[in-house]
Amino acid sequence: MELTCIMCPVGCTLKITKTKKEIIVTGNSCPRGKEYGLKEVTSPERIVTSVKKYKQGTICLKTDKPIRKDLVDKCLIEIKNSKLKGKISVGETLIKNVLNTGVNIIVTSIN
């Protein structure tokens, strides 16, 4: 499998090989590339960003930490179904501990 590392601007092409005993990452020019390659094939995670209607505009939202890739769609549904109460401000937590992951959904801007 080949991946492009996103941990720095270099964008190394990583080659990931799975054997019966280990996962081998090559092509990285720094240790972060190896960590990224291993994580991407064993338990990939993503930062989730979204928008939600608010009054006559929208609020922009994101997770404060990455969540497992397989939970992204469920996270987006949680955001869609969340209720906005009163005045919202940037930096505010809209959803605490989304999907029992320990990750919060934070307001990043209001338009």
Side-chain angles (χ1 to χ4, degrees):
M1 162 192 266
E2 282 192 2
L3 296 172
T4 300
C5 182
I6 61 169
M7 298 307 291
C8 77
V10 174
C12 296
T13 299
L14 306 177
K15 184 174 180 184
I16 293 118
T17 307
K18 293 182 184 181
T19 69
K20 290 182 181 182
K21 296 183 179 182
E22 64 183 332
I23 299 171
I24 302 165
V25 178
T26 57
N28 54 300
S29 61
C30 71
R32 293 188 308 166
K34 183 176 182 179
E35 290 174 31
Y36 172 76
L38 290 172
K39 185 94 172 150
E40 196 61 19
V41 297
T42 59
S43 180
E45 295 180 327
R46 299 291 184 268
I47 293 285
V48 176
T49 61
S50 185
V51 295
K52 187 169 180 68
K53 289 184 180 183
Y54 177 64
K55 296 183 181 179
Q56 285 76 30
T58 57
I59 58 172
C60 298
L61 306 160
K62 73 173 220 153
T63 54
D64 62 355
K65 293 181 267 187
I67 64 169
R68 289 190 348 237
K69 189 176 175 184
D70 65 317
L71 294 177
V72 169
D73 288 343
K74 289 179 183 178
C75 180
L76 291 169
I77 291 168
E78 289 290 314
I79 291 170
K80 179 182 176 186
N81 293 333
S82 66
K83 304 293 183 207
L84 300 173
K85 299 174 186 171
K87 185 176 169 143
I88 303 291
S89 44
V90 172
E92 183 174 335
T93 299
L94 180 66
I95 304 171
K96 291 182 181 180
N97 192 25
V98 67
L99 302 170
N100 295 313
T101 60
V103 175
N104 302 312
I105 307 298
I106 305 297
V107 177
T108 58
S109 68
I110 302 170
N111 304 314

